[in-house]
Amino acid sequence: MIINLKKFLLSDDLVYNVSDRLTLKDEKFLEENKLNKEIEFDGKFFKVDKSLLLEAKINYFYSENCARCLQEFENKVTAKFNAIIVDELDEDYEAEDMQILIKDSYVDLEESIKQLVYLSMPMKALCKSSCKGICSKCGINLNTDKCECNDFVIDPRLEKLKTLLK
C-alpha cells in the first residue's frame, strides 16, 4: 500500500486520515499464514513539530485450527500500531513505534503491515470462547457429539482401598 502524502505535506493541515483496503501481493506470505488477501487499514498521519507520525490499526482475517477442538475456522484480528515517518532508517532505533521510510512524499506500508501481521497473530486461537475441545480418551469433538467415555478416575494412591468394598 503506497500512500501519497505530497498534498498533506504542502498543506497547513495537521491531520490526514486514510482508510483503505490493502491487497497483499506476496503469495508465499499469504499461503504460509493462511491470510485473506485484503487487509483493512485505518490510519491518521499527524504533523508534530518537524516530525510526521502515524497512528493506525489494521483488521485482517486468516484461517486457523482451533487450539482445543482442532477444527478450522476463520479468525479476525485487529492490531493497532504507531509509527514515525523518517527520511532515513536508524538501525539503532529502539522505541515502541515503528520506523517507516518516506521517499519523494510516498510511504510504502506493505512491509510494515506484513511485520505487524506476524507480531499480532495469536499463539493459540479458539473457534469460540466456550469451545469444549476433544475427548482425551476417544478423540471425539465435544462441541458436536457427546462422549460415552467413563470419566471416573481413581487416585492410584487409594486404588487398593477398592478391594475392601468387595
Side-chain angles (χ1 to χ4, degrees):
M1 171 180 211
I2 297 175
I3 299 174
N4 184 354
L5 296 175
K6 190 171 197 166
K7 288 182 184 178
F8 173 61
L9 294 173
L10 295 175
S11 73
D12 292 334
D13 296 337
L14 297 176
V15 179
Y16 178 60
N17 293 315
V18 178
S19 289
D20 203 356
R21 288 185 180 268
L22 164 68
T23 303
L24 292 176
K25 298 171 184 81
D26 188 347
E27 292 297 327
K28 183 179 178 188
F29 177 77
L30 293 170
E31 191 176 309
E32 286 175 355
N33 297 294
K34 298 181 183 178
L35 274 174
N36 186 337
K37 278 188 178 186
E38 290 195 352
I39 294 176
E40 298 171 5
F41 175 83
D42 188 27
K44 293 180 182 181
F45 288 90
F46 296 98
K47 289 180 187 172
V48 179
D49 295 327
K50 295 181 182 180
S51 300
L52 191 59
L53 305 175
L54 171 63
E55 183 179 289
K57 74 173 183 174
I58 60 169
N59 295 315
Y60 62 92
F61 292 90
Y62 70 101
S63 296
E64 183 169 21
N65 292 336
C66 177
R68 289 186 188 156
C69 69
L70 306 177
Q71 295 294 313
E72 189 169 306
F73 71 102
E74 187 168 86
N75 197 9
K76 178 183 180 184
V77 177
T78 300
K80 295 180 181 182
F81 70 99
N82 295 320
I84 184 167
I85 311 301
V86 295
D87 294 326
E88 191 176 314
L89 294 175
D90 181 8
E91 298 296 326
D92 298 328
Y93 184 76
E94 291 186 15
E96 286 183 23
D97 299 344
M98 288 184 183
Q99 285 185 346
I100 299 176
L101 193 61
I102 187 170
K103 286 186 181 178
D104 301 324
S105 302
Y106 290 95
V107 175
D108 187 1
L109 296 174
E110 184 162 349
E111 200 58 42
S112 299
I113 288 176
K114 282 171 40 178
Q115 290 175 7
L116 189 64
V117 167
Y118 270 130
L119 294 173
S120 65
M121 279 190 168
M123 293 176 116
K124 290 184 179 180
L126 301 178
C127 58
K128 57 188 176 206
S129 60
S130 62
C131 179
K132 297 176 184 174
I134 58 175
C135 175
S136 61
K137 292 182 181 176
C138 66
I140 198 166
N141 186 343
L142 298 174
N143 296 312
T144 58
D145 297 317
K146 185 160 174 63
C147 178
E148 301 296 327
C149 294
N150 183 1
D151 288 341
F152 185 71
V153 179
I154 297 177
D155 186 339
R157 296 170 294 177
L158 303 174
E159 193 169 9
K160 195 71 171 168
L161 294 175
K162 190 169 73 172
T163 58
L164 294 175
L165 294 175
K166 292 182 181 176

PDB file of all heavy atoms in Angstrom, residues 42-69:
ATOM      1  N   ASP A  42      -6.808   1.619   8.584  1.00  0.00           N
ATOM      2  CA  ASP A  42      -7.429   2.864   9.015  1.00  0.00           C
ATOM      3  C   ASP A  42      -6.376   3.623   9.817  1.00  0.00           C
ATOM      4  O   ASP A  42      -5.945   3.144  10.867  1.00  0.00           O
ATOM      5  CB  ASP A  42      -8.660   2.569   9.870  1.00  0.00           C
ATOM      6  CG  ASP A  42      -9.467   3.809  10.184  1.00  0.00           C
ATOM      7  OD1 ASP A  42      -9.414   4.766   9.386  1.00  0.00           O
ATOM      8  OD2 ASP A  42     -10.142   3.824  11.229  1.00  0.00           O
ATOM      9  N   GLY A  43      -5.938   4.775   9.304  1.00  0.00           N
ATOM     10  CA  GLY A  43      -4.860   5.486   9.981  1.00  0.00           C
ATOM     11  C   GLY A  43      -4.966   6.989   9.883  1.00  0.00           C
ATOM     12  O   GLY A  43      -5.716   7.539   9.074  1.00  0.00           O
ATOM     13  N   LYS A  44      -4.202   7.634  10.733  1.00  0.00           N
ATOM     14  CA  LYS A  44      -4.112   9.095  10.762  1.00  0.00           C
ATOM     15  C   LYS A  44      -2.645   9.490  10.770  1.00  0.00           C
ATOM     16  O   LYS A  44      -1.873   9.006  11.587  1.00  0.00           O
ATOM     17  CB  LYS A  44      -4.777   9.666  12.016  1.00  0.00           C
ATOM     18  CG  LYS A  44      -6.264   9.487  12.067  1.00  0.00           C
ATOM     19  CD  LYS A  44      -6.824  10.083  13.339  1.00  0.00           C
ATOM     20  CE  LYS A  44      -8.322   9.857  13.392  1.00  0.00           C
ATOM     21  NZ  LYS A  44      -8.907  10.451  14.600  1.00  0.00           N
ATOM     22  N   PHE A  45      -2.279  10.366   9.852  1.00  0.00           N
ATOM     23  CA  PHE A  45      -0.947  10.950   9.831  1.00  0.00           C
ATOM     24  C   PHE A  45      -1.032  12.289  10.561  1.00  0.00           C
ATOM     25  O   PHE A  45      -1.954  13.073  10.326  1.00  0.00           O
ATOM     26  CB  PHE A  45      -0.464  11.164   8.391  1.00  0.00           C
ATOM     27  CG  PHE A  45      -0.124   9.891   7.684  1.00  0.00           C
ATOM     28  CD1 PHE A  45      -1.084   9.210   6.954  1.00  0.00           C
ATOM     29  CD2 PHE A  45       1.156   9.369   7.748  1.00  0.00           C
ATOM     30  CE1 PHE A  45      -0.774   8.035   6.302  1.00  0.00           C
ATOM     31  CE2 PHE A  45       1.473   8.187   7.097  1.00  0.00           C
ATOM     32  CZ  PHE A  45       0.501   7.526   6.372  1.00  0.00           C
ATOM     33  N   PHE A  46      -0.064  12.560  11.430  1.00  0.00           N
ATOM     34  CA  PHE A  46      -0.026  13.791  12.205  1.00  0.00           C
ATOM     35  C   PHE A  46       1.274  14.537  11.946  1.00  0.00           C
ATOM     36  O   PHE A  46       2.345  13.916  11.913  1.00  0.00           O
ATOM     37  CB  PHE A  46      -0.087  13.497  13.719  1.00  0.00           C
ATOM     38  CG  PHE A  46      -1.349  12.847  14.176  1.00  0.00           C
ATOM     39  CD1 PHE A  46      -1.421  11.478  14.358  1.00  0.00           C
ATOM     40  CD2 PHE A  46      -2.475  13.611  14.435  1.00  0.00           C
ATOM     41  CE1 PHE A  46      -2.574  10.866  14.789  1.00  0.00           C
ATOM     42  CE2 PHE A  46      -3.645  13.016  14.877  1.00  0.00           C
ATOM     43  CZ  PHE A  46      -3.698  11.638  15.048  1.00  0.00           C
ATOM     44  N   LYS A  47       1.162  15.845  11.800  1.00  0.00           N
ATOM     45  CA  LYS A  47       2.359  16.684  11.768  1.00  0.00           C
ATOM     46  C   LYS A  47       2.583  17.170  13.195  1.00  0.00           C
ATOM     47  O   LYS A  47       1.740  17.828  13.788  1.00  0.00           O
ATOM     48  CB  LYS A  47       2.140  17.909  10.871  1.00  0.00           C
ATOM     49  CG  LYS A  47       2.079  17.600   9.402  1.00  0.00           C
ATOM     50  CD  LYS A  47       1.854  18.899   8.626  1.00  0.00           C
ATOM     51  CE  LYS A  47       1.615  18.647   7.167  1.00  0.00           C
ATOM     52  NZ  LYS A  47       1.223  19.875   6.461  1.00  0.00           N
ATOM     53  N   VAL A  48       3.724  16.817  13.751  1.00  0.00           N
ATOM     54  CA  VAL A  48       4.070  17.219  15.109  1.00  0.00           C
ATOM     55  C   VAL A  48       5.456  17.831  15.042  1.00  0.00           C
ATOM     56  O   VAL A  48       6.437  17.138  14.775  1.00  0.00           O
ATOM     57  CB  VAL A  48       4.053  16.023  16.093  1.00  0.00           C
ATOM     58  CG1 VAL A  48       4.431  16.478  17.484  1.00  0.00           C
ATOM     59  CG2 VAL A  48       2.696  15.347  16.080  1.00  0.00           C
ATOM     60  N   ASP A  49       5.532  19.139  15.305  1.00  0.00           N
ATOM     61  CA  ASP A  49       6.761  19.911  15.142  1.00  0.00           C
ATOM     62  C   ASP A  49       7.306  19.668  13.739  1.00  0.00           C
ATOM     63  O   ASP A  49       6.655  19.990  12.765  1.00  0.00           O
ATOM     64  CB  ASP A  49       7.794  19.553  16.225  1.00  0.00           C
ATOM     65  CG  ASP A  49       7.307  19.942  17.623  1.00  0.00           C
ATOM     66  OD1 ASP A  49       6.591  20.959  17.733  1.00  0.00           O
ATOM     67  OD2 ASP A  49       7.645  19.231  18.577  1.00  0.00           O
ATOM     68  N   LYS A  50       8.458  19.068  13.631  1.00  0.00           N
ATOM     69  CA  LYS A  50       9.016  18.786  12.310  1.00  0.00           C
ATOM     70  C   LYS A  50       8.960  17.297  11.983  1.00  0.00           C
ATOM     71  O   LYS A  50       9.605  16.841  11.050  1.00  0.00           O
ATOM     72  CB  LYS A  50      10.456  19.291  12.232  1.00  0.00           C
ATOM     73  CG  LYS A  50      10.543  20.792  12.341  1.00  0.00           C
ATOM     74  CD  LYS A  50      11.950  21.283  12.237  1.00  0.00           C
ATOM     75  CE  LYS A  50      11.962  22.802  12.401  1.00  0.00           C
ATOM     76  NZ  LYS A  50      13.275  23.369  12.307  1.00  0.00           N
ATOM     77  N   SER A  51       8.187  16.579  12.762  1.00  0.00           N
ATOM     78  CA  SER A  51       8.072  15.135  12.565  1.00  0.00           C
ATOM     79  C   SER A  51       6.723  14.784  11.952  1.00  0.00           C
ATOM     80  O   SER A  51       5.768  15.547  12.010  1.00  0.00           O
ATOM     81  CB  SER A  51       8.189  14.405  13.905  1.00  0.00           C
ATOM     82  OG  SER A  51       9.417  14.663  14.515  1.00  0.00           O
ATOM     83  N   LEU A  52       6.680  13.589  11.391  1.00  0.00           N
ATOM     84  CA  LEU A  52       5.443  13.049  10.826  1.00  0.00           C
ATOM     85  C   LEU A  52       5.185  11.712  11.513  1.00  0.00           C
ATOM     86  O   LEU A  52       6.042  10.830  11.508  1.00  0.00           O
ATOM     87  CB  LEU A  52       5.607  12.866   9.314  1.00  0.00           C
ATOM     88  CG  LEU A  52       4.363  12.553   8.511  1.00  0.00           C
ATOM     89  CD1 LEU A  52       3.328  13.660   8.669  1.00  0.00           C
ATOM     90  CD2 LEU A  52       4.722  12.393   7.039  1.00  0.00           C
ATOM     91  N   LEU A  53       4.010  11.595  12.137  1.00  0.00           N
ATOM     92  CA  LEU A  53       3.668  10.397  12.896  1.00  0.00           C
ATOM     93  C   LEU A  53       2.452   9.718  12.293  1.00  0.00           C
ATOM     94  O   LEU A  53       1.612  10.367  11.676  1.00  0.00           O
ATOM     95  CB  LEU A  53       3.367  10.758  14.354  1.00  0.00           C
ATOM     96  CG  LEU A  53       4.443  11.529  15.104  1.00  0.00           C
ATOM     97  CD1 LEU A  53       3.948  11.917  16.488  1.00  0.00           C
ATOM     98  CD2 LEU A  53       5.706  10.711  15.216  1.00  0.00           C
ATOM     99  N   LEU A  54       2.373   8.419  12.490  1.00  0.00           N
ATOM    100  CA  LEU A  54       1.232   7.637  12.021  1.00  0.00           C
ATOM    101  C   LEU A  54       0.659   6.860  13.191  1.00  0.00           C
ATOM    102  O   LEU A  54       1.383   6.204  13.938  1.00  0.00           O
ATOM    103  CB  LEU A  54       1.677   6.660  10.922  1.00  0.00           C
ATOM    104  CG  LEU A  54       0.660   5.612  10.469  1.00  0.00           C
ATOM    105  CD1 LEU A  54      -0.575   6.261   9.847  1.00  0.00           C
ATOM    106  CD2 LEU A  54       1.299   4.638   9.508  1.00  0.00           C
ATOM    107  N   GLU A  55      -0.652   6.958  13.347  1.00  0.00           N
ATOM    108  CA  GLU A  55      -1.380   6.169  14.338  1.00  0.00           C
ATOM    109  C   GLU A  55      -2.412   5.389  13.539  1.00  0.00           C
ATOM    110  O   GLU A  55      -3.247   5.986  12.860  1.00  0.00           O
ATOM    111  CB  GLU A  55      -2.063   7.115  15.331  1.00  0.00           C
ATOM    112  CG  GLU A  55      -2.796   6.438  16.445  1.00  0.00           C
ATOM    113  CD  GLU A  55      -3.409   7.443  17.388  1.00  0.00           C
ATOM    114  OE1 GLU A  55      -2.649   8.097  18.128  1.00  0.00           O
ATOM    115  OE2 GLU A  55      -4.647   7.596  17.351  1.00  0.00           O
ATOM    116  N   ALA A  56      -2.358   4.058  13.585  1.00  0.00           N
ATOM    117  CA  ALA A  56      -3.208   3.272  12.699  1.00  0.00           C
ATOM    118  C   ALA A  56      -3.627   1.957  13.325  1.00  0.00           C
ATOM    119  O   ALA A  56      -3.101   1.540  14.357  1.00  0.00           O
ATOM    120  CB  ALA A  56      -2.470   3.005  11.392  1.00  0.00           C
ATOM    121  N   LYS A  57      -4.581   1.320  12.651  1.00  0.00           N
ATOM    122  CA  LYS A  57      -4.977  -0.040  13.017  1.00  0.00           C
ATOM    123  C   LYS A  57      -5.263  -0.800  11.736  1.00  0.00           C
ATOM    124  O   LYS A  57      -5.632  -0.224  10.714  1.00  0.00           O
ATOM    125  CB  LYS A  57      -6.169  -0.063  13.961  1.00  0.00           C
ATOM    126  CG  LYS A  57      -7.485   0.270  13.330  1.00  0.00           C
ATOM    127  CD  LYS A  57      -8.612   0.052  14.308  1.00  0.00           C
ATOM    128  CE  LYS A  57      -9.936   0.333  13.602  1.00  0.00           C
ATOM    129  NZ  LYS A  57     -11.062   0.017  14.440  1.00  0.00           N
ATOM    130  N   ILE A  58      -5.052  -2.116  11.815  1.00  0.00           N
ATOM    131  CA  ILE A  58      -5.367  -2.986  10.699  1.00  0.00           C
ATOM    132  C   ILE A  58      -6.310  -4.079  11.179  1.00  0.00           C
ATOM    133  O   ILE A  58      -6.288  -4.460  12.355  1.00  0.00           O
ATOM    134  CB  ILE A  58      -4.104  -3.615  10.060  1.00  0.00           C
ATOM    135  CG1 ILE A  58      -3.332  -4.458  11.071  1.00  0.00           C
ATOM    136  CG2 ILE A  58      -3.229  -2.575   9.417  1.00  0.00           C
ATOM    137  CD1 ILE A  58      -2.239  -5.313  10.456  1.00  0.00           C
ATOM    138  N   ASN A  59      -7.163  -4.529  10.284  1.00  0.00           N
ATOM    139  CA  ASN A  59      -8.041  -5.670  10.524  1.00  0.00           C
ATOM    140  C   ASN A  59      -7.765  -6.679   9.425  1.00  0.00           C
ATOM    141  O   ASN A  59      -7.716  -6.309   8.254  1.00  0.00           O
ATOM    142  CB  ASN A  59      -9.518  -5.267  10.458  1.00  0.00           C
ATOM    143  CG  ASN A  59      -9.899  -4.314  11.554  1.00  0.00           C
ATOM    144  OD1 ASN A  59      -9.551  -4.496  12.694  1.00  0.00           O
ATOM    145  ND2 ASN A  59     -10.632  -3.276  11.199  1.00  0.00           N
ATOM    146  N   TYR A  60      -7.580  -7.933   9.808  1.00  0.00           N
ATOM    147  CA  TYR A  60      -7.367  -8.970   8.805  1.00  0.00           C
ATOM    148  C   TYR A  60      -7.994 -10.275   9.257  1.00  0.00           C
ATOM    149  O   TYR A  60      -8.236 -10.488  10.436  1.00  0.00           O
ATOM    150  CB  TYR A  60      -5.879  -9.151   8.481  1.00  0.00           C
ATOM    151  CG  TYR A  60      -5.018  -9.596   9.639  1.00  0.00           C
ATOM    152  CD1 TYR A  60      -4.788 -10.947   9.874  1.00  0.00           C
ATOM    153  CD2 TYR A  60      -4.426  -8.675  10.495  1.00  0.00           C
ATOM    154  CE1 TYR A  60      -4.002 -11.367  10.929  1.00  0.00           C
ATOM    155  CE2 TYR A  60      -3.634  -9.084  11.545  1.00  0.00           C
ATOM    156  CZ  TYR A  60      -3.429 -10.427  11.754  1.00  0.00           C
ATOM    157  OH  TYR A  60      -2.648 -10.841  12.798  1.00  0.00           O
ATOM    158  N   PHE A  61      -8.270 -11.133   8.279  1.00  0.00           N
ATOM    159  CA  PHE A  61      -8.845 -12.442   8.520  1.00  0.00           C
ATOM    160  C   PHE A  61      -7.858 -13.502   8.064  1.00  0.00           C
ATOM    161  O   PHE A  61      -7.158 -13.319   7.071  1.00  0.00           O
ATOM    162  CB  PHE A  61     -10.155 -12.617   7.733  1.00  0.00           C
ATOM    163  CG  PHE A  61     -11.265 -11.742   8.213  1.00  0.00           C
ATOM    164  CD1 PHE A  61     -11.453 -10.478   7.679  1.00  0.00           C
ATOM    165  CD2 PHE A  61     -12.136 -12.182   9.199  1.00  0.00           C
ATOM    166  CE1 PHE A  61     -12.481  -9.666   8.121  1.00  0.00           C
ATOM    167  CE2 PHE A  61     -13.168 -11.376   9.640  1.00  0.00           C
ATOM    168  CZ  PHE A  61     -13.346 -10.113   9.098  1.00  0.00           C
ATOM    169  N   TYR A  62      -7.822 -14.610   8.785  1.00  0.00           N
ATOM    170  CA  TYR A  62      -6.991 -15.734   8.376  1.00  0.00           C
ATOM    171  C   TYR A  62      -7.627 -17.025   8.882  1.00  0.00           C
ATOM    172  O   TYR A  62      -8.430 -17.015   9.810  1.00  0.00           O
ATOM    173  CB  TYR A  62      -5.553 -15.596   8.884  1.00  0.00           C
ATOM    174  CG  TYR A  62      -5.391 -15.769  10.370  1.00  0.00           C
ATOM    175  CD1 TYR A  62      -4.928 -16.964  10.887  1.00  0.00           C
ATOM    176  CD2 TYR A  62      -5.702 -14.743  11.250  1.00  0.00           C
ATOM    177  CE1 TYR A  62      -4.777 -17.130  12.250  1.00  0.00           C
ATOM    178  CE2 TYR A  62      -5.559 -14.899  12.601  1.00  0.00           C
ATOM    179  CZ  TYR A  62      -5.096 -16.093  13.101  1.00  0.00           C
ATOM    180  OH  TYR A  62      -4.963 -16.267  14.449  1.00  0.00           O
ATOM    181  N   SER A  63      -7.284 -18.135   8.244  1.00  0.00           N
ATOM    182  CA  SER A  63      -7.797 -19.442   8.649  1.00  0.00           C
ATOM    183  C   SER A  63      -6.823 -20.083   9.622  1.00  0.00           C
ATOM    184  O   SER A  63      -5.610 -19.980   9.448  1.00  0.00           O
ATOM    185  CB  SER A  63      -7.956 -20.343   7.430  1.00  0.00           C
ATOM    186  OG  SER A  63      -8.911 -19.802   6.563  1.00  0.00           O
ATOM    187  N   GLU A  64      -7.393 -20.738  10.629  1.00  0.00           N
ATOM    188  CA  GLU A  64      -6.556 -21.384  11.630  1.00  0.00           C
ATOM    189  C   GLU A  64      -7.317 -22.554  12.235  1.00  0.00           C
ATOM    190  O   GLU A  64      -8.544 -22.590  12.196  1.00  0.00           O
ATOM    191  CB  GLU A  64      -6.182 -20.388  12.727  1.00  0.00           C
ATOM    192  CG  GLU A  64      -5.263 -20.966  13.751  1.00  0.00           C
ATOM    193  CD  GLU A  64      -4.671 -19.929  14.693  1.00  0.00           C
ATOM    194  OE1 GLU A  64      -5.229 -18.851  14.829  1.00  0.00           O
ATOM    195  OE2 GLU A  64      -3.643 -20.249  15.281  1.00  0.00           O
ATOM    196  N   ASN A  65      -6.597 -23.483  12.823  1.00  0.00           N
ATOM    197  CA  ASN A  65      -7.225 -24.592  13.546  1.00  0.00           C
ATOM    198  C   ASN A  65      -7.362 -24.201  15.000  1.00  0.00           C
ATOM    199  O   ASN A  65      -6.424 -23.658  15.600  1.00  0.00           O
ATOM    200  CB  ASN A  65      -6.397 -25.864  13.424  1.00  0.00           C
ATOM    201  CG  ASN A  65      -6.394 -26.409  12.020  1.00  0.00           C
ATOM    202  OD1 ASN A  65      -7.309 -26.144  11.247  1.00  0.00           O
ATOM    203  ND2 ASN A  65      -5.370 -27.153  11.679  1.00  0.00           N
ATOM    204  N   CYS A  66      -8.513 -24.505  15.579  1.00  0.00           N
ATOM    205  CA  CYS A  66      -8.783 -24.204  16.985  1.00  0.00           C
ATOM    206  C   CYS A  66      -7.805 -24.986  17.864  1.00  0.00           C
ATOM    207  O   CYS A  66      -7.519 -26.162  17.610  1.00  0.00           O
ATOM    208  CB  CYS A  66     -10.226 -24.567  17.320  1.00  0.00           C
ATOM    209  SG  CYS A  66     -10.653 -24.312  19.054  1.00  0.00           S
ATOM    210  N   ALA A  67      -7.302 -24.347  18.894  1.00  0.00           N
ATOM    211  CA  ALA A  67      -6.330 -24.980  19.790  1.00  0.00           C
ATOM    212  C   ALA A  67      -6.961 -26.076  20.654  1.00  0.00           C
ATOM    213  O   ALA A  67      -6.258 -26.935  21.165  1.00  0.00           O
ATOM    214  CB  ALA A  67      -5.686 -23.923  20.685  1.00  0.00           C
ATOM    215  N   ARG A  68      -8.295 -26.078  20.794  1.00  0.00           N
ATOM    216  CA  ARG A  68      -8.959 -27.090  21.619  1.00  0.00           C
ATOM    217  C   ARG A  68      -9.597 -28.218  20.803  1.00  0.00           C
ATOM    218  O   ARG A  68      -9.414 -29.373  21.105  1.00  0.00           O
ATOM    219  CB  ARG A  68     -10.039 -26.434  22.484  1.00  0.00           C
ATOM    220  CG  ARG A  68      -9.498 -25.592  23.594  1.00  0.00           C
ATOM    221  CD  ARG A  68     -10.603 -25.107  24.494  1.00  0.00           C
ATOM    222  NE  ARG A  68     -10.098 -24.148  25.457  1.00  0.00           N
ATOM    223  CZ  ARG A  68     -10.840 -23.243  26.050  1.00  0.00           C
ATOM    224  NH1 ARG A  68     -12.128 -23.173  25.796  1.00  0.00           N
ATOM    225  NH2 ARG A  68     -10.306 -22.407  26.893  1.00  0.00           N
ATOM    226  N   CYS A  69     -10.377 -27.848  19.767  1.00  0.00           N
ATOM    227  CA  CYS A  69     -11.118 -28.884  19.035  1.00  0.00           C
ATOM    228  C   CYS A  69     -10.500 -29.226  17.680  1.00  0.00           C
ATOM    229  O   CYS A  69     -10.973 -30.127  16.997  1.00  0.00           O
ATOM    230  CB  CYS A  69     -12.571 -28.466  18.851  1.00  0.00           C
ATOM    231  SG  CYS A  69     -12.829 -27.080  17.729  1.00  0.00           S
TER     232      CYS A  69
END
